Amino acid sequence: MTSRSTPGLAWFNSAEEPAARAALHEMCAAGAWGSTLLAQRPYGSVEDLFRTSDDATAALTDADLAEAMAGHPPIGRPKPGDPTSSREQRGMEGSSEALKAEMLELNLAYQERFGHVFLICATGLTGEQMRDAVRHRLDNSPQQERETVRRELAKINRIRLTRLTEEGAPTA
C-alpha cells in the first residue's frame, strides 16, 4: 500500500463521527478498537491507519476480543445478506457436503473448548485449509489461542481497512 492518501482515507478522516464509527463497527465489533482508530484521526497515510489498527488490536483485553469475535459468523455459515462475510469465506463455497458437515462439527468442538467462535482470516483459504487450521488450533492452550485469535483479527482488520481506504464511504 502506498504512503499517499486515498479517497477512502480522505473520507474516513473527514466523516462525521457516527458514520465513521459505524463503518469501523462493521469491520470489527470491538468498541475499544474503533474508539482508538477514531481518536487518532486524521491519518496522513494508509500505513499510519494500519499501524494504529495493529496497536489497537494488540491492546484489546480478553473482553474486547470476545466482543470482536461476537461480530464474526462461524466459518461455513456467513451472515445472510452480508457480502463481506460471504466474500471472506468464499473458500467454503465449493466444498463438499462432507467437508461442510465436518466444519460444523469442528466449529462446535472449538466453541465448546474455547467459548467463542473459531476466528481465522479466511480470505484466500480453501475449505480444507480452514478445516486443517481448526483441527490444529483445537490443541492450543486458551492463552495460545487468544494470541492466535488476536493475530487473525489483526489480519482481518487490515483487509477490511484496505477495502475502506480503496473504496471510500460504505454503502448501506
Side-chain angles (χ1 to χ4, degrees), residues 25-91:
H25 188 266
E26 285 298 312
M27 289 178 227
C28 179
W33 177 83
S35 292
T36 299
L37 269 64
L38 287 171
Q40 299 298 315
R41 292 188 305 166
Y43 293 93
S45 70
V46 172
E47 288 81 9
D48 292 341
L49 178 61
F50 285 167
R51 265 191 300 280
T52 301
S53 174
D54 290 346
D55 291 346
T57 303
L60 293 176
T61 65
D62 288 350
D64 296 329
L65 279 174
E67 184 180 24
M69 288 182 287
H72 288 268
I75 295 295
R77 295 187 314 198
K79 284 189 237 177
D82 180 359
T84 299
S85 177
S86 295
R87 179 179 50 253
E88 290 173 351
Q89 293 194 31
R90 190 173 299 141

Side-chain angles (χ1 to χ4, degrees), residues 11-30:
W11 174 85
F12 180 69
N13 281 335
S14 63
E16 295 287 329
E17 191 271 341
R21 183 173 297 281
L24 291 174
H25 188 266
E26 285 298 312
M27 289 178 227
C28 179

Side-chain angles (χ1 to χ4, degrees), residues 86-157:
S86 295
R87 179 179 50 253
E88 290 173 351
Q89 293 194 31
R90 190 173 299 141
M92 285 300 295
E93 280 180 7
S95 297
S96 68
E97 290 307 313
L99 179 58
K100 289 177 183 177
E102 184 178 7
M103 276 304 293
L104 176 59
E105 287 180 32
L106 288 166
N107 277 323
L108 293 172
Y110 179 95
Q111 194 156 1
E112 184 175 313
R113 173 150 167 68
F114 295 109
H116 55 77
V117 69
F118 171 67
L119 185 74
I120 188 168
C121 182
T123 301
L125 298 181
T126 65
E128 290 81 4
Q129 289 170 315
M130 288 182 259
R131 178 205 53 215
D132 294 347
V134 71
R135 280 181 180 166
H136 172 74
R137 286 172 51 187
L138 277 166
D139 292 331
N140 283 350
S141 71
Q143 182 59 36
Q144 287 171 314
E145 190 54 23
R146 265 191 305 283
E147 292 312 308
T148 300
V149 164
R150 188 181 306 279
R151 286 190 304 274
E152 294 298 312
L153 182 62
K155 290 186 232 176
I156 293 166
N157 289 346

